[in-house]
Amino acid sequence: SLPFLIRLFPSVLTKFVYLNFLAFPFFVDFRRPELLVNNTISLHLTTEPGVTVGIWHTVPSSRGAEAQGKDQRWYEEALADAHPVIIYLHGNGGTR
C-alpha cells in the first residue's frame, strides 16, 4: 500500500525525505537569533513585490564588542561598509 500512497500523494514523500517541517533544536524561537548566536540580528529583505526573504546578519567576532547593544540600523549600516559579505544559503530546511 505504500507505493500506492506515494503515487497518490507525491508531496508526502518529499516531506519525509527532507523533513523540512521539523525545526531543530526544538522549542527555539528562530526569529530571535541573538538568543542563539552572538552579534546576530534578524532582518527581512523584499526581493521583489510580494516576496520577502528572512535573513540573519552576523558580524564577525572582531566587531563583536562594537556590536553589543546596537539596534537594527547599526547592523544595516555595517552591511554597507567596505568589509566583505559572505552569503550562506542553508538549503531546503524550513528555518534559518
Side-chain angles (χ1 to χ4, degrees):
S1 66
L2 186 61
F4 177 73
L5 288 174
I6 292 172
R7 177 80 170 144
L8 199 58
F9 306 104
S11 63
V12 173
L13 178 63
T14 59
K15 293 286 185 195
F16 286 107
V17 168
Y18 297 112
L19 298 176
N20 58 2
F21 58 90
L22 293 177
F24 186 79
F26 303 112
F27 309 112
V28 174
D29 186 5
F30 288 103
R31 294 171 295 180
R32 304 215 33 223
E34 64 274 7
L35 301 175
L36 301 168
V37 183
N38 292 331
N39 313 321
T40 302
I41 191 170
S42 182
L43 302 171
H44 291 86
L45 301 175
T46 302
T47 57
E48 59 185 63
V51 178
T52 302
V53 178
I55 64 166
W56 284 0
H57 177 209
T58 304
V59 296
S61 58
S62 61
R63 296 185 72 184
E66 182 184 355
Q68 292 295 323
K70 301 295 186 192
D71 60 355
Q72 180 175 337
R73 184 174 178 207
W74 183 89
Y75 280 87
E76 289 172 356
E77 290 173 357
L79 282 172
D81 65 12
H83 293 88
V85 174
I86 298 172
I87 298 175
Y88 172 70
L89 304 172
H90 63 81
N92 66 346
T95 62
R96 285 176 256 160

